[in-house]
Amino acid sequence: MREVAAATLLLLAVAVARPAAEDDISRGVTHEQMKVRIAREEARVRGVLAADLLTKTLGAELKAAVSSGGPAEAVTVCASRAMALTDSVSAVLGLRIRRVSDRNRNPGGAPNQLERAVLARFSEEGAPADTFFADSAGDWHYLRAIRIEKPLCLKCHGPKEELAEDVRAVLRQDYPEDLATGYRFRELRGAFSVTVPAR
């Protein structure tokens, strides 16, 4: 899997960078400036790929859980498997990815100051779906909004009084400090937060 991910990143970075590099040469952009631009684009592509890969991997696990045991089983699988899947994607792509929310279910999903500021922007009317930037240490950050896009999401994240009793029971057991209920359709749930370390 690591080799496939690396090859995909390389192909995407080259495909994106080549037209820009040809234009830049004609405009007198230096070799060092081009290297910085290509490194930035590579970091952005890695961030996008990480969020895509985790979305698909975790989504497939949750879909299978719902099919076999309903929403309560999905909560159980999320509690037992989500962190391992997230760590696996991080290791394969050589970066750090988290799911964060100011109404987190997992205590490890509480946002840091930087993530909290982005979540506030994502919650504004007409906000972008994602953002990408460097911090003062030179690390790159890609964040993508997670919204309640499917009615099925509300089976575990909707208003507490509307959740099935077996879902509430699993939440009490696996997430005693859960903050991730009470959402409405299309509301911001949180974000994928990817950190691509400076090289």
Side-chain angles (χ1 to χ4, degrees):
M1 185 171 173
R2 186 185 300 270
E3 292 80 9
V4 171
T8 302
L9 282 171
L10 181 61
L11 288 171
L12 286 170
V14 168
V16 169
R18 183 178 291 139
E22 290 168 359
D23 287 347
D24 287 342
I25 290 169
S26 67
R27 283 183 270 175
V29 174
T30 69
H31 179 69
E32 284 305 312
Q33 290 170 324
M34 284 177 55
K35 279 174 56 178
V36 169
R37 287 183 188 180
I38 289 171
R40 179 185 193 281
E41 189 58 26
E42 180 190 354
R44 189 189 67 77
V45 169
R46 289 175 70 194
V48 170
L49 183 62
D52 286 349
L53 187 56
L54 184 57
T55 299
K56 288 177 184 165
T57 305
L58 189 53
E61 291 266 340
L62 294 177
K63 185 175 180 182
V66 169
S67 294
S68 68
E73 180 67 16
V75 175
T76 300
V77 166
C78 203
S80 64
R81 296 272 300 134
M83 289 306 299
L85 290 170
T86 302
D87 291 345
S88 176
V89 170
S90 293
V92 166
L93 297 179
L95 42 72
R96 188 173 77 117
I97 183 168
R98 307 183 330 128
R99 289 176 303 143
V100 298
S101 175
D102 50 9
R103 289 162 60 187
N104 52 299
R105 176 156 284 169
N106 182 329
N112 60 32
Q113 186 175 358
L114 181 152
E115 292 161 337
R116 193 175 300 282
V118 173
L119 286 169
R121 269 199 332 235
F122 281 163
S123 67
E124 294 171 359
E125 187 73 28
D130 62 0
T131 188
F132 176 71
F133 55 91
D135 64 21
S136 58
D139 293 338
W140 294 101
H141 298 274
Y142 174 77
L143 283 89
R144 178 187 296 167
I146 300 171
R147 298 189 184 280
I148 302 290
E149 298 284 2
K150 298 177 182 175
L152 183 60
C153 300
L154 295 172
K155 300 288 185 185
C156 300
H157 292 289
K160 201 172 267 190
E161 65 277 7
E162 295 177 17
L163 301 180
E165 180 49 43
D166 60 343
V167 172
R168 290 199 299 259
V170 173
L171 287 174
R172 283 191 299 270
Q173 175 185 313
D174 291 343
Y175 298 105
E177 297 178 27
D178 179 38
L179 302 173
T181 58
Y183 286 96
R184 298 291 179 187
F185 193 56
R186 300 207 183 279
E187 190 174 357
L188 179 71
R189 162 77 184 90
F192 291 105
S193 177
V194 184
T195 302
V196 181
R199 293 187 184 213

